Amino acid sequence: MDSFQEANGDIGTEKPFQPWFSVAVAGATKDGDIIKYDLKTRKLDESGQEVVVVRQYEDFQWLEHCLMTQHDVTGVILPPLPLRPGVSASGAEAKSKKQLGSSSKALIGDEFHKDCRSLEKYLQLILKHDLLGKNETLGKFLTDTEAPTRAKIKKNILSNLSKAMDEARKGGQIGRASCRERV
């Protein structure tokens, strides 16, 4: 980690923290049930190296998990990861009926620009953070063309509570019939 910090000019400086990278989510493409985001990253040093990497939502979840578990972040407020965008056909139909009326048979196209802006803001908040912005994993996430290994991340009770709160915010409340089925 020290060599990474030395290479990025962070050792022995008294100036306020300056981000090492600038990032923009240039666009998104849908590939079946997967949304792929194009991240355009530029290193903020003399080299000005620029790279474009492709990431999925699961990669952002992996990054969040790494940032929370690799170092002692007790007391550090992490920016919240934006909600996963809905990509199912039934979700698109429900969204269209909500916006156009229940009798409409038209479907509204995918609008991933809002999701791109949310993920870009999330990354910018992490990059500007004094502790998180120095993380080597973050640097690799933004610059390695190879995506991180996708593995199921074990969730704890707080993650499950957070997921339930997100569902309630989105309006995905459980009906009485499905509650009876669970019991």
Side-chain angles (χ1 to χ4, degrees):
M1 175 99 169
D2 292 334
S3 63
F4 187 76
Q5 288 178 341
E6 289 172 9
N8 289 291
D10 192 48
I11 300 295
T13 60
E14 296 297 324
K15 297 184 288 186
F17 176 72
Q18 295 295 316
W20 293 342
F21 301 98
S22 77
V23 65
V25 181
T29 55
K30 186 175 176 182
D31 183 14
D33 287 342
I34 298 170
I35 302 173
K36 295 183 178 183
Y37 300 95
D38 300 321
L39 303 182
K40 188 175 181 180
T41 305
R42 187 170 50 89
K43 191 164 178 147
L44 299 176
D45 64 2
E46 306 84 44
S47 71
Q49 177 187 1
E50 198 168 285
V51 64
V52 177
V53 296
V54 178
R55 298 289 183 254
Q56 298 177 19
Y57 187 82
E58 288 79 14
D59 299 334
F60 288 92
Q61 289 177 316
W62 173 84
L63 174 65
E64 180 185 49
H65 176 77
C66 288
L67 292 174
M68 288 191 299
T69 58
Q70 283 183 345
H71 303 289
D72 182 23
V73 291
T74 307
V76 175
I77 299 173
L78 286 119
L81 182 63
L83 297 175
R84 175 190 297 270
V87 293
S88 67
S90 61
E93 182 180 354
K95 179 181 175 184
S96 297
K97 287 189 180 206
K98 183 178 179 183
Q99 292 182 358
L100 301 175
S102 59
S103 62
S104 176
K105 298 212 187 277
L107 288 179
I108 296 176
D110 294 323
E111 296 178 349
F112 296 125
H113 63 277
K114 293 176 185 175
D115 301 318
C116 290
R117 280 196 319 246
S118 297
L119 288 170
E120 184 174 323
K121 183 66 174 173
Y122 170 75
L123 289 172
Q124 288 172 352
L125 289 170
I126 291 174
L127 284 168
K128 291 178 183 175
H129 193 278
D130 290 351
L131 179 65
L132 303 175
K134 300 173 188 176
N135 191 297
E136 186 175 352
T137 303
L138 176 63
K140 288 180 180 179
F141 176 83
L142 295 172
T143 58
D144 281 356
T145 54
E146 191 73 27
T149 304
R150 292 182 186 95
K152 277 285 194 190
I153 298 171
K154 294 191 179 221
K155 305 278 182 166
N156 59 20
I157 192 164
L158 293 176
S159 298
N160 293 337
L161 179 62
S162 175
K163 183 178 178 183
M165 294 298 290
D166 289 342
E167 287 296 320
R169 264 193 293 171
K170 287 194 287 186
Q173 300 191 3
I174 300 172
R176 286 184 169 171
S178 61
C179 286
R180 276 188 244 124
E181 291 172 6
R182 290 184 178 180
V183 177

